[in-house]
Amino acid sequence: MTLLRVLIKVRGTVQGVGFRPYVYGLASSLDLKGYVANTSEGVTIDIEGKEVESFIKRLQREAPPLSRITDIDISPLPPYGYQDFRIIESKDSGSFTLISPDVSICDDCLRELFDEGDRRYLYPFINCTNCGPRYTITKCVPYDRANTTMSVFRMCSECEAEYKNPADRRFHAEPNACSRCGPGIRLTGESSDFGDITDPMKKVRDLLREGAIVAIKGLGGFHLACDATSEEAVEKLRLRKRKSNKPFALMSPDIETIKKFCFVSPEEEALLLSNRRPIVLLRRKPSCALPEAIAPGNNRLGFMLPYTPLHYLLFREDSTGSHPAGLDRKKNRIPLVMTSGNLSEEPIQIDNEEVVLKLRGIADAFLTHDRDIFMRVDDSVLKVSDTGKVCFIRRARGYTPEPVMLAEEGADVLATGADIKNTFTLMKGSFAIVSQHIGDMENYETLKFFEETLENLKAVYRVEPEAIAYDLHPGYLSTQWALRQAGRKLPVQHHHAHIASVMAEKGIKEKVIGVAFDGTGYGADGTLWGGEFLISTAIDFKRAGHLRYVPLPGGEMAIKEPWRTAVSYVKTAVGAETEDYLERIGFIEKYGRERIRDILKIINARELSPVSSGAGRLFDAVSAILGVCDKNTFEGEAAVALEAVAAPGVEDDYPLNIEFKEPMEVDFSFAIISIINDLTKGVDKGIIAAKFHNTVVEAIVRVVRKLAMLSRIADIVLSGGVFQNDYLLVRVEERLKEEGFSVYTNEVVPLNDGGISLGQAYILRESLKAGVEI
């Protein structure tokens, strides 16, 4: 067999995933010599011997499960005469590589965590090559301990021996540590510590059992935790943290516990158990005994499983024999509330000192540790549809900064996203790097988080944007930030970006019929859009249809108080008979005749009541008319509540009017009148809600059918936050596919505004390719 020597460059997610130890083991088993090294562009292997061809064949086929190889480049070299095979010091080649997302604790480490004979017994930061922190601790590439927040911890002799032993599971595990040499935990009260506590975790369990709220430092930031079975504790947390009804996330010790409270499909179980450990929105069981205050008016609960050793220790059974309610891994199996540790609308807290200043008055105690978090990252939130399709609600821990793979390469660009559920996107080569969930761009703290994350990802991926894309809305903080930057800039219409986000995921460049349904987006004509039918390419679009414009009395106040929008929809439908219809549904009694008349007076004043074609506002109005929800204490609350009450098995719908002009206009006035008539007849609200949903499905199908006939386009794209409504999305997809259309929706980024930046970046890059003047 001939002696060969080659240089192999492997690109992709190949750092922090056990790739170098894997290469070392494979090369040693084949008696090959040379070296492997991390570089700033991936992993480089210089290898020689008689089994090089076998090595190349097996390299990708047997790669570690956490790795993701995107490219392998092989170049022949003259023989060198290496005497052994080594992992050598990393090199900075001036290029870039992909960073692994954070990974939940593996089964091996979990066994060791609760093994009394193991030297890491009950150590909250146990990890190995196959699990643990990655993105949240990485300052720069290559991914080496010196470039992480673990650099301040010098390994003890035992940890170092593991780190250097090719046969050990912790061979080159960069966060490797133990209780002798690694990070430690500390428990303090709101204004002081608890003194000399030998077992801080036991004290935390005691506090939670007693109804306390504890701020707990995790992988990407702090959580606020309390016993989820205690109505008093949950109500106290809601009162202290937020005045809204936004749902709290839950953490359960195991799947069996979750199944006591929620229905769990095989697809949902697989997501929960995956090493990404997202929050999964699950349907409540009728027998669910958890407090309503966890998720008011919502038929879903957001559950996740523990993903760090510290989390598992929260559920440990105390050896004393006492089994605190909510915290017993084996017997009680009761979940904890684990909501983001932040003030309302501010980024999740990561600093040990700042968290006490910010969350004093919310948390009764603070469990901190001294492994710094370099990149703050919230928990990811996903939902599985009735058809088994996985949809992102929030893309963050466990998924970012994993890139979206693009069909083609192109210029380096930046897109700043929208202001609600903000993310930004950097494009480099054939990768779109979508940031973790930044949040709502409402304050300086969020803007600072946006900027620090952007600078980090630009440095890691070596991106120098040639141009910036931003939303048309002049009031957006993300828009204003973009306009302050130097260089070329491209404004992108909000709903075009929604459609383009799907096109980017799927590599679509030809014309599509795009249906973009959300609450609000700034239109090309300066009005508020949100129920849009577009003929779209990756560069431009034509507005082919929309929902009928309806005034929003009081502007932003109508979004917060959907009953105002309901008044406007009723007036649009019945005109002079508005007060009579409002009296029939109890609005006059509930809100007062004078107040209703004040609303009616300002409806026609455009400066006080801007017009909107938003589909989200239509759902708000119907929710308020039915008495399901008349206030949005968080975005989409009324619409979520309306979907929650929709009865299954209803096939009927309501009449509506579609004007087949240019652009087409969909008028729900007849549906609004019919809804009120049904309500006054005593028809069940669940049936009315289902019939309304069916009407929206029918409207979409009829408009798409007409547009397809006129344009001869058969590819349909659905995007926008309204399509997070599972009832709506499943039925629209089914109907359109039955009619022979190819239907595409977001799968890699959220349907909501968290996906906007990907669409913006795609439009900008394709515009640059096409020579569009910017």
Side-chain angles (χ1 to χ4, degrees), residues 275-289:
N275 59 23
R276 299 177 187 270
R277 287 291 202 272
I279 296 169
V280 181
L281 302 184
L282 306 168
R283 285 188 172 86
R284 292 185 196 232
K285 287 184 174 178
S287 59
C288 178

Side-chain angles (χ1 to χ4, degrees), residues 166-177:
D168 197 283
R169 199 176 80 252
R170 294 185 171 88
F171 183 44
H172 279 264
E174 304 305 342
N176 189 32

Side-chain angles (χ1 to χ4, degrees), residues 187-192 194 207-208 211-217 222-226 236-241 339-343 349 355-368:
L187 181 65
T188 61
E190 183 183 352
S191 55
S192 62
F194 286 91
L207 288 169
L208 291 168
I213 297 166
V214 183
I216 299 172
K217 189 175 183 180
F222 278 85
H223 286 107
L224 286 166
C226 72
K236 180 169 66 174
L237 176 57
R238 185 163 294 284
L239 180 65
R240 290 181 182 181
K241 183 176 191 280
T339 190
S340 298
N342 58 353
L343 295 177
Q349 291 295 318
V355 73
V356 177
L357 296 175
K358 289 280 188 178
L359 301 185
R360 178 182 293 148
I362 299 178
D364 301 305
F366 299 83
L367 182 65
T368 62

Side-chain angles (χ1 to χ4, degrees), residues 509 538-539 763-774:
K509 288 192 174 183
I539 297 173
I763 291 167
L764 174 56
R765 180 183 266 196
E766 293 304 311
S767 296
L768 291 172
K769 286 182 185 178
V772 175
E773 187 173 341
I774 297 174

Side-chain angles (χ1 to χ4, degrees), residues 112-124:
E112 291 173 351
L113 179 67
F114 293 107
D115 180 356
E116 293 186 21
D118 193 276
R119 73 185 189 90
R120 291 187 177 85
Y121 175 58
L122 304 185
Y123 182 54

Side-chain angles (χ1 to χ4, degrees), residues 64-75:
L66 299 181
S67 65
R68 182 185 181 192
I69 297 173
T70 60
D71 181 58
I72 296 179
D73 181 65
I74 303 172
S75 305

Side-chain angles (χ1 to χ4, degrees), residues 503 507-512 536-538 715:
M503 297 175 77
I508 300 172
K509 288 192 174 183
E510 302 304 315
K511 284 185 178 180
V512 300
S536 178
T537 70
D715 290 334

Side-chain angles (χ1 to χ4, degrees), residues 8-28:
I8 305 173
K9 293 184 177 180
V10 187
R11 299 180 183 87
T13 307
V14 289
Q15 294 189 16
V17 293
F19 200 83
R20 288 177 301 166
Y22 156 70
V23 169
Y24 181 96
L26 180 58
S28 299

